[in-house]
Amino acid sequence: MTDQTWLDRAVRLAVENVATGGGPFGAVVVRDGVVVAEGTNRVTPDLDPTAHAEVVAVRRACAELGTFTLAGCALYTSCEPCPLCLAASLWARLDRVVYAADRDDAAGAGFDDRAFYDLVAADRATWPMPVTAEPLAQRLAPFDAWLTKADRTAY
């Protein structure tokens, strides 16, 4: 199987998802030439703004493999991952991400992720939603608890 084969599958999932009420995005997680999991955009059907195709596929792949790391796997997606999906891919430790359409193609269909890419690169003071730190004396308590837990699972 080639990258083209897996991308074709992701695009087909995306098209089918539109027909069933979801968004125009599909994703496939593959390991050693075998599909581990698939995902489609479920934002509107599930009323979940994080249910992007890539995130759904990553969640399903982790559940299928019984792990929180997808090292050794590749993600094939119908469109360039938005910052949310890119972050999920990085946290999952995927070996690589391959996409078909890019952010400009998505923008032409009304999905303008460029605004989020631009926002992340901009000074937080200019963001439309304030993201601020509030000094709190016990702010390190969760990290202290984590560091003193002998049987913690690092990730």
Side-chain angles (χ1 to χ4, degrees), residues 58 62 68-73 86-95:
V58 164
C62 288
F68 55 81
T69 178
L70 296 177
C73 297
L86 182 59
S89 298
L90 291 166
W91 275 110
R93 309 299 197 270
L94 286 155
D95 284 6

Side-chain angles (χ1 to χ4, degrees), residues 95-110:
D95 284 6
R96 65 193 194 117
V97 175
V98 183
Y99 61 88
D102 66 19
R103 64 182 81 176
D104 295 320
D105 298 322

